[in-house]
């Protein structure tokens, strides 16, 4: 089996970058995380990488705050910028809270806030209610 040429690998990389950019524009924090890593590690564009992480934090992604905190420690952003991002991040988290959702979790015995685990647990409960034990 022949490996793809250098030009083909470059083309695939560019296509992947374009697709990740489109996904990030549509709100995918995972795609934006990938763009931030690319900006930091490949392009060495720290300002762009921090900008991506800022947007991820503003979406309420808890993992991004660790990177933002690290950016403060390394001097990539100021403490004032950090405070602003943290306030926006906390507002995004607060806006997601729902008393009904929390009560439903309590009734159904769902202890996590992981969407995949929540959906799996919910599917199991619905299957039990319908008499299906296949899930």
């Amino acid at each position: 089996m022949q490996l793809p040429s250098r030009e083909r690998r470059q083309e695939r990389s560019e296509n992947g970058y374009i697709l990740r950019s489109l996904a990030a524009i549509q709100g995918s924090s995972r795609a934006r995380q990938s763009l931030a890593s690319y900006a930091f590690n490949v392009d060495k564009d720290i300002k762009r990488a921090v900008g991506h992480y800022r947007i991820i934090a503003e979406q309420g992604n808890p993992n991004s705050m660790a990177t933002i905190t690290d950016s403060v420690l390394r001097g990539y952003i100021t403490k004032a910028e950090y405070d602003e991002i943290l306030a926006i991040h906390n507002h995004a988290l607060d806006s997601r809270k729902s008393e009904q959702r929390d009560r439903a979790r309590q009734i159904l015995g769902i202890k996590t806030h992981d969407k995949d685990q929540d959906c799996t647990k919910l599917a199991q409960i619905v299957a039990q209610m319908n008499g299906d034990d296949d899930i």
Side-chain angles (χ1 to χ4, degrees), residues 92-106 113:
L93 292 179
D94 289 343
S95 67
R96 289 183 183 176
K97 291 182 181 176
S98 164
E99 289 181 27
Q100 288 178 322
R101 190 178 305 122
D102 292 341
R103 180 75 178 127
R105 274 195 174 92
Q106 183 182 12
H113 289 276

Side-chain angles (χ1 to χ4, degrees), residues 3 16 18 30-31 55 59 65 71 74 82 88 97 127 135:
L3 293 175
I18 291 168
R30 182 178 286 174
I55 293 169
Q59 292 174 335
M65 286 311 296
S71 296
R74 293 175 185 245
Y82 174 79
I88 293 169
K97 291 182 181 176
I135 295 181

Side-chain angles (χ1 to χ4, degrees), residues 53-120:
Y53 281 115
R54 178 188 181 109
I55 293 169
I56 298 167
E58 290 171 357
Q59 292 174 335
N61 184 315
N63 299 330
S64 63
M65 286 311 296
T67 304
I68 294 294
T69 302
D70 187 53
S71 296
V72 173
L73 297 175
R74 293 175 185 245
Y76 299 149
I77 63 173
T78 66
K79 177 75 168 103
E81 289 173 315
Y82 174 79
D83 291 339
E84 178 187 348
I85 294 168
L86 182 60
I88 293 169
H89 174 74
N90 287 334
H91 177 72
L93 292 179
D94 289 343
S95 67
R96 289 183 183 176
K97 291 182 181 176
S98 164
E99 289 181 27
Q100 288 178 322
R101 190 178 305 122
D102 292 341
R103 180 75 178 127
R105 274 195 174 92
Q106 183 182 12
I107 291 169
L108 297 174
I110 298 173
K111 304 227 185 301
T112 74
H113 289 276
D114 183 313
K115 287 189 285 187
D116 293 334
Q117 289 180 10
D118 288 356
C119 289
T120 302

